[in-house]
């Protein structure tokens, strides 16, 4: 990986059905770290992120909020972009699947596959999970109904659909998975291989029961279909480079992608469907697909209904973006699930960053000024401390291939911290204050030089994780972090002599949790969705006849005109508050799709809306006269 000329890496494109959370931030921060590292090495890097905006899930989310899908997508996509900008994510392109160039590219790919004979028209009947936007085979269902991935109920759909011949590519995909080993961590590969070995069924790739998606290419002329959102989304990795346009220079330069970073939940789409689509259009396959685990909060799965979803901005506002980046990359082994707790974050900041890194820097600033007016020299390090220096160089030698390109960011950081501990140990072992007392000034200066060089190594390698913090360190140590200094340090060169700068502590100790404690915003139990509300049909009606129900103290028998063939009979419990004659000719609001019921032997075919308090009952009526039968919305 380290000798490649270009490096193209991607995050998943995020669904715009909801605002960004810590899971999205995690994927993006890993990708940003790898991109920054690659650039620092001098590799021509292209880093893509963006938003996934079509599909049934978005259409429904928009409708619930009374917006058009595009309005809603614009709003949420802007939130993702604003967050990444605030986090100084170094993406080169932010793609949206509603971009006209993307739409064109997807249609071109569809047509290519169609012409190749890889797409045919049939009928899909089966389960669909709207939340995952995925077709679920009957054998995968949990309790015959639930989605195996998100646990939500699936819907049964029955519609005409175009299919992609996924089965045709089964052997080729298997071979690729086994021979090229593209999946990281490798331990995740088995589950994908097993999935393919169990047999791939052809994949439904168009939908007809909603509209929010890319239309089929006009050459196919079948306007009621829209392209399946996963096919649409996956092609973003190519359309972002100009696939579908005249200019293919970016594709030539950057394709195949060196790395797709994804969550474990969407690995199958990237490691099975995506390569099959690419094989069909005759493109090379991505080099690596790295799947990370899921974040929980204080040991619990995050969900909106529990009110425990972490907003990355709140964490960054309280603790600083770079500390947060460090925490996420250090806390969990890549691929495993991780838990977010403020305590764990504070411990990492106070211990790893404050004690191990910050204090070491403060200690040499202090000693350099106490003993040498801030001057630091590398002249005698090899003479007195070659063991320590070589130990650190050995760590640097392996750190990239073994850990960084394999996404093992926690190990990568653990290794860097070993260098810090060589430094901290050297101070405790050689005690510069005693060296000074014993007139061994050269040895004391060399010790300070050693520590400065160890800190320089750490700063350079940590730069991709904490760009600003490490620039402050390098500034104190009299050098700049760039490709040249990266190369020099990588080759084991030492810092030139310099005067160290005094800087304020980088990681002030955190004494107590800093995030505002949100009250857990639980949705009240009785909450209903707008869809549920619209199940109730309300209409304006006019009372055309009214009489008392003789044997009842409460009931009146009304005939109410709802603009239907004949008036409806409604038995209403309002006798104590209204006289029949004062009702006739007035308008009322009626629940018109209530199941008819018998009251005192008489059929009642609806219900009047009324409000009742201590002062009595009042019917709810339209403020101005409306046509009978007008729906109330
Ligand atoms: N739109 C698709 C991806 C299409 S890529 C061609 C999608 N979007 S998503 O917004 O639902 O998820 C994006 C990423 O966020 C996924 O990689 C997913 O794994 C990750 N996460 C969502 N919740 C997460 C956690 N709680 N923890 C860690 N990551 C999780 O899927």
């Amino acid at each position: 990986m380290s000798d490649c000329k270009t490096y193209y890496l991607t995050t998943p494109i995020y669904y715009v059905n909801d605002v960004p959370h810590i899971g999205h931030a995690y994927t993006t921060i890993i990708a940003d770290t790898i991109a920054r590292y690659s650039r620092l090495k001098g590799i021509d890097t292209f880093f893509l992120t963006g938003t996934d905006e079509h599909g049934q899930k978005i259409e429904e989310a928009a409708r619930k909020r009374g917006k058009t899908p595009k309005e809603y997508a614009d709003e949420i996509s802007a939130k993702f972009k604003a967050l990444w900008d605030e986090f100084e994510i170094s993406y080169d392109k932010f793609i949206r699947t509603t971009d006209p160039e993307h739409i064109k590219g997807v249609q071109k790919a569809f047509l290519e596959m169609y012409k190749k004979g890889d797409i045919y028209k049939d009928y899909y009947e089966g389960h669909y999970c709207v939340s995952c936007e995925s077709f679920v085979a009957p054998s995968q269902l949990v309790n015959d109904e639930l989605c195996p991935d998100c646990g939500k109920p699936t819907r049964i759909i029955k519609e005409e659909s175009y299919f992609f011949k996924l089965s045709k590519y089964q052997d080729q995909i298997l071979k690729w998975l086994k021979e090229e080993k593209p999946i990281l961590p490798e331990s995740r590969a088995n589950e994908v291989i097993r999935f393919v070995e169990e047999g791939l069924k052809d994949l439904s790739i168009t939908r007809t029961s909603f509209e929010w998606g890319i239309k089929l290419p006009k050459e196919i002329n079948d306007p009621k279909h829209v392209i399946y959102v996963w096919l649409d989304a996956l092609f973003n990795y190519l359309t972002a480079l100009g696939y579908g346009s005249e200019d293919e220079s970016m594709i030539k330069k950057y394709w195949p992608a060196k790395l797709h970073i994804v969550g474990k939940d969407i690995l199958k789409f990237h490691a099975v469907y995506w390569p099959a689509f690419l094989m069909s259009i005759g493109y090379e396959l991505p080099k690596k697909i790295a799947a990370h685990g899921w974040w929980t909060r204080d040991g619990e799965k995050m969900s909106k209904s529990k009110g425990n979803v972490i907003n990355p901005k709140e964490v960054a506002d309280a603790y600083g973006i770079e500390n947060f980046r460090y925490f996420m990359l250090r806390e969990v082994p890549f691929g495993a699930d991780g838990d977010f707790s403020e305590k764990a974050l504070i411990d990492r900041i106070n211990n790893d960053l404050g004690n191990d890194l910050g204090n070491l820097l403060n200690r040499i600033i202090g000693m350099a000024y106490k003993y040498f007016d801030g001057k630091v020299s590398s002249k005698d390090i090899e003479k007195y401390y070659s063991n320590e220096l070589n130990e650190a160089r050995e760590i640097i030698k392996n750190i990239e291939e073994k850990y960084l390109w394999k996404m093992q960011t926690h190990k990568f950081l653990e290794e860097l911290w070993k260098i810090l501990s060589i430094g901290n140990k050297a101070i405790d072992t050689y005690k510069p204050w005693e060296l000074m007392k014993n007139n061994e000034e050269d040895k004391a200066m060399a010790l300070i030089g050693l520590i400065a060089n160890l800190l320089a190594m750490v700063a350079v390698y940590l730069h991709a994780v904490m760009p600003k913090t490490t620039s402050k360190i390098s500034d104190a140590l009299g050098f700049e972090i760039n490709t040249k200094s990266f190369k020099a340090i990588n080759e084991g060169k030492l810092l030139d002599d310099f005067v160290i700068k005094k800087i304020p502590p980088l990681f002030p100790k955190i004494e107590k949790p800093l995030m505002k404690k949100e009250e857990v915003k639980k949705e009240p139990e009785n909450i209903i969705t707008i869809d549920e509300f619209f199940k109730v049909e309300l209409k304006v009606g006019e009372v055309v006849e009214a009489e008392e129900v003789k044997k009842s103290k409460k009931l009146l028998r009304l005939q109410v005109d709802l603009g239907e063939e004949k008036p409806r009979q409604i038995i209403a419990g309002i006798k104590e508050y209204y006289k029949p004659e004062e009702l006739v000719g007035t308008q009322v609001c009626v629940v018109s799709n209530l199941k008819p019921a018998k009251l005192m032997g008489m059929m009642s075919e609806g219900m009047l809306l009324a409000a009742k308090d201590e002062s009595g009952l009042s019917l709810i009526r339209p403020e101005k006269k409306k046509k009978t039968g007008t729906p109330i919305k």
Side-chain angles (χ1 to χ4, degrees):
M1 219 30 98
S2 50
D3 51 2
C4 57
K5 292 221 163 44
T6 62
Y7 195 91
Y8 176 36
L9 79 162
T10 67
T11 70
I13 44 173
Y14 303 108
Y15 282 131
V16 290
N17 63 316
D18 215 344
V19 293
H21 61 62
I22 191 176
H24 306 130
Y26 180 54
T27 323
T28 309
I29 287 169
I30 298 175
D32 184 61
T33 300
I34 303 291
R36 284 175 182 271
Y37 188 86
S38 165
R39 288 192 199 105
L40 188 58
K41 267 184 82 73
I43 302 172
D44 182 341
T45 303
F46 195 83
F47 168 20
L48 174 72
T49 190
T51 42
D52 188 356
E53 307 187 6
H54 291 125
Q56 196 165 7
K57 174 154 83 167
I58 313 293
E59 190 181 89
E60 290 183 4
R63 183 159 13 103
K64 266 189 195 164
R65 289 159 179 93
K67 302 204 163 132
T68 66
K70 182 62 170 52
E71 277 167 356
Y72 190 53
D74 285 347
E75 187 187 306
I76 305 285
S77 177
K79 287 196 173 150
F80 273 98
K81 193 157 183 290
L83 183 71
W84 302 152
D85 289 339
E86 193 174 330
F87 273 34
E88 296 186 39
I89 298 299
S90 63
Y91 59 84
D92 295 289
K93 184 174 167 86
F94 186 99
I95 193 171
R96 300 182 54 184
T97 54
T98 47
D99 291 340
E101 305 80 42
H102 171 77
I103 292 173
K104 219 168 130 201
V106 171
Q107 288 172 329
K108 172 178 161 171
F110 196 99
L111 192 60
E112 292 277 310
M113 298 193 269
Y114 184 79
K115 281 189 188 152
K116 187 159 184 200
D118 281 350
I119 291 179
Y120 60 93
K121 196 167 171 178
D122 202 341
Y123 212 75
Y124 179 83
E125 186 171 352
H127 291 261
Y128 190 78
C129 173
V130 176
S131 183
C132 298
E133 294 284 15
S134 96
F135 299 92
V136 186
S139 60
Q140 297 174 307
L141 288 170
V142 176
N143 293 340
D144 297 333
E145 185 213 5
L146 307 178
C147 169
D149 294 322
C150 68
K152 294 188 185 145
T154 55
R155 296 184 194 173
I156 295 180
I157 59 173
K158 229 172 154 183
E159 55 192 52
E160 185 184 273
S161 179
Y162 286 83
F163 283 76
F164 172 74
K165 288 186 184 166
L166 187 62
S167 54
K168 170 176 158 188
Y169 293 99
Q170 174 164 333
D171 294 343
Q172 263 173 278
I173 294 171
L174 257 186
K175 188 163 178 276
W176 172 66
L177 290 172
K178 288 183 175 167
E179 287 176 6
E180 303 292 326
K181 301 194 182 352
I183 295 177
L184 289 171
E186 280 168 21
S187 54
R188 281 225 171 269
N190 283 345
E191 73 200 55
V192 181
I193 291 176
R194 225 175 306 124
F195 173 78
V196 181
E197 278 174 345
E198 274 167 21
L200 293 178
K201 294 221 168 50
D202 291 349
L203 182 68
S204 164
I205 50 163
T206 67
R207 301 283 318 270
T208 51
S209 50
F210 64 94
E211 292 189 350
W212 182 234
I214 299 181
K215 298 266 180 227
L216 301 200
K218 58 181 180 324
E219 291 83 346
I220 299 180
N221 189 21
D222 206 346
K224 65 175 191 285
H225 290 259
V226 294
I227 295 175
Y228 174 41
V229 62
W230 267 104
L231 189 149
D232 164 354
L234 286 162
F235 270 97
N236 92 89
Y237 302 135
L238 266 182
T239 59
L241 297 182
Y243 179 87
S245 77
E246 301 297 302
D247 181 4
E248 300 222 321
S249 56
M250 293 280 281
I251 298 188
K252 285 208 184 81
K253 188 167 175 194
Y254 291 112
W255 193 258
K258 296 287 186 310
L259 176 68
H260 293 311
I261 300 181
V262 300
K264 62 180 182 180
D265 51 320
I266 57 172
L267 179 58
K268 175 180 82 182
F269 297 94
H270 284 81
V272 181
Y273 301 168
W274 179 224
F277 296 153
L278 287 168
M279 286 170 188
S280 176
I281 62 164
Y283 271 64
E284 269 186 76
L285 307 192
K287 293 291 177 207
K288 291 281 175 219
I289 300 166
H292 64 70
W294 271 51
W295 283 87
T296 51
R297 179 176 197 168
D298 300 315
E300 280 191 63
K301 198 168 173 209
M302 282 183 277
S303 78
K304 265 198 287 176
S305 54
K306 278 195 206 136
N308 65 351
V309 177
I310 296 164
N311 174 351
K313 188 167 152 34
E314 269 173 34
V315 186
D317 285 348
Y319 295 99
I321 292 171
E322 299 205 350
N323 293 347
F324 180 39
R325 285 170 70 106
Y326 172 80
F327 168 77
M328 296 201 101
L329 299 185
R330 175 66 188 80
E331 189 68 6
V332 265
F334 185 87
D337 290 344
D339 189 50
F340 178 91
S341 74
E342 264 190 283
K343 185 178 174 319
L345 173 59
I346 294 170
D347 284 351
R348 288 274 173 215
I349 298 175
N350 286 344
N351 299 332
D352 300 13
L353 296 174
N355 290 344
D356 301 342
L357 175 58
N359 280 352
L360 187 62
L361 181 66
N362 291 343
R363 283 173 95 180
I364 67 149
I365 295 177
M367 290 186 299
Y369 274 92
K370 190 162 173 196
Y371 306 132
F372 305 110
D373 291 333
K375 288 191 196 98
V376 181
S377 165
S378 300
K379 185 166 65 72
D380 291 329
I381 304 175
E382 302 270 10
K383 183 165 149 201
Y384 295 113
Y385 305 106
S386 62
N387 283 350
E388 283 81 2
L389 200 56
N390 290 337
E391 214 184 312
R393 284 175 174 154
E394 200 52 36
I395 291 172
I396 292 292
K397 217 182 354 175
N398 295 316
I399 199 167
E400 191 180 296
E401 287 302 332
K402 256 175 123 172
Y403 306 117
L404 188 100
W405 297 125
K406 298 220 159 101
M407 304 299 114
Q408 296 295 313
T409 57
H410 72 296
K411 279 274 188 198
F412 175 82
L413 292 168
E414 234 173 72
E415 291 293 298
L416 287 183
W417 256 246
K418 284 186 189 160
I419 299 180
L420 295 176
S421 96
I422 297 172
N424 277 310
K425 211 165 114 203
I427 298 184
D428 296 342
T429 313
Y430 302 112
K431 304 186 176 60
W433 49 95
E434 287 188 2
L435 296 173
M436 291 303 286
K437 244 197 270 163
N438 301 337
N439 291 329
E440 293 180 283
E441 287 195 6
D442 285 2
K443 221 175 159 187
M445 171 61 97
L447 184 62
I448 292 170
L450 169 75
I451 310 293
N453 276 282
L454 297 180
L455 281 168
M457 286 180 193
V458 172
V460 164
Y461 276 83
L462 189 61
H463 189 60
V465 181
M466 307 182 80
K468 287 201 169 135
T469 311
T470 50
S471 294
K472 287 185 196 156
I473 299 177
S474 72
D475 188 40
L477 299 178
F479 78 105
E480 211 178 293
I481 301 177
N482 52 31
T483 303
K484 198 167 153 228
S485 58
F486 178 90
K487 211 162 157 247
I489 286 200
N490 184 260
E491 286 165 359
K493 297 216 171 85
L494 295 176
L495 294 174
D496 295 333
D497 294 352
F498 67 98
V499 175
I500 201 163
K501 264 196 210 149
K502 288 185 182 168
I503 56 167
L506 293 174
F507 311 102
K509 190 164 168 83
I510 293 170
E511 306 285 355
K512 58 176 190 340
L514 302 175
M515 269 163 77
K516 272 186 245 116
K517 278 272 168 276
E518 270 177 81
E519 306 138 42
V520 177
K521 284 187 227 124
K522 274 200 181 158
E523 288 196 342
E525 301 272 314
N526 62 351
I527 219 84
I528 59 166
T529 65
I530 192 141
D531 290 343
E532 284 164 324
F533 173 73
F534 280 132
K535 281 190 190 156
V536 181
E537 268 177 30
L538 298 170
K539 285 187 181 163
V540 174
E542 188 164 320
V543 182
V544 287
E545 278 176 36
E547 61 177 15
E548 295 184 346
V549 175
K550 288 278 153 21
K551 280 186 201 138
S552 163
K553 267 207 264 173
K554 291 193 171 156
L555 300 179
L556 291 184
R557 174 150 107 169
L558 312 174
Q559 300 298 327
V560 182
D561 178 6
L562 289 179
E564 298 166 337
E565 257 174 42
K566 59 178 183 49
R568 293 205 197 182
Q569 170 163 290
I570 296 178
I571 310 297
I574 56 174
K575 190 172 177 182
E576 294 160 81
Y577 309 100
Y578 289 93
K579 294 198 171 22
E581 54 279 18
E582 61 177 318
L583 286 171
V584 176
T586 68
Q587 290 203 312
V588 287
C589 297
V590 178
V591 180
S592 59
N593 62 339
L594 201 64
K595 198 168 168 196
K598 265 194 177 163
L599 288 174
M600 296 193 70
M602 294 165 292
M603 277 314 273
S604 182
E605 302 172 298
M607 190 175 81
L608 305 189
L609 296 188
K612 188 176 164 192
D613 64 9
E614 319 77 63
S615 66
L617 177 142
S618 161
L619 285 166
I620 310 289
R621 307 172 186 281
E623 188 203 353
K624 293 184 192 131
K625 198 159 172 143
K626 289 280 136 202
K627 260 198 263 156
T628 52
T630 303
I632 301 172
K633 292 235 155 107

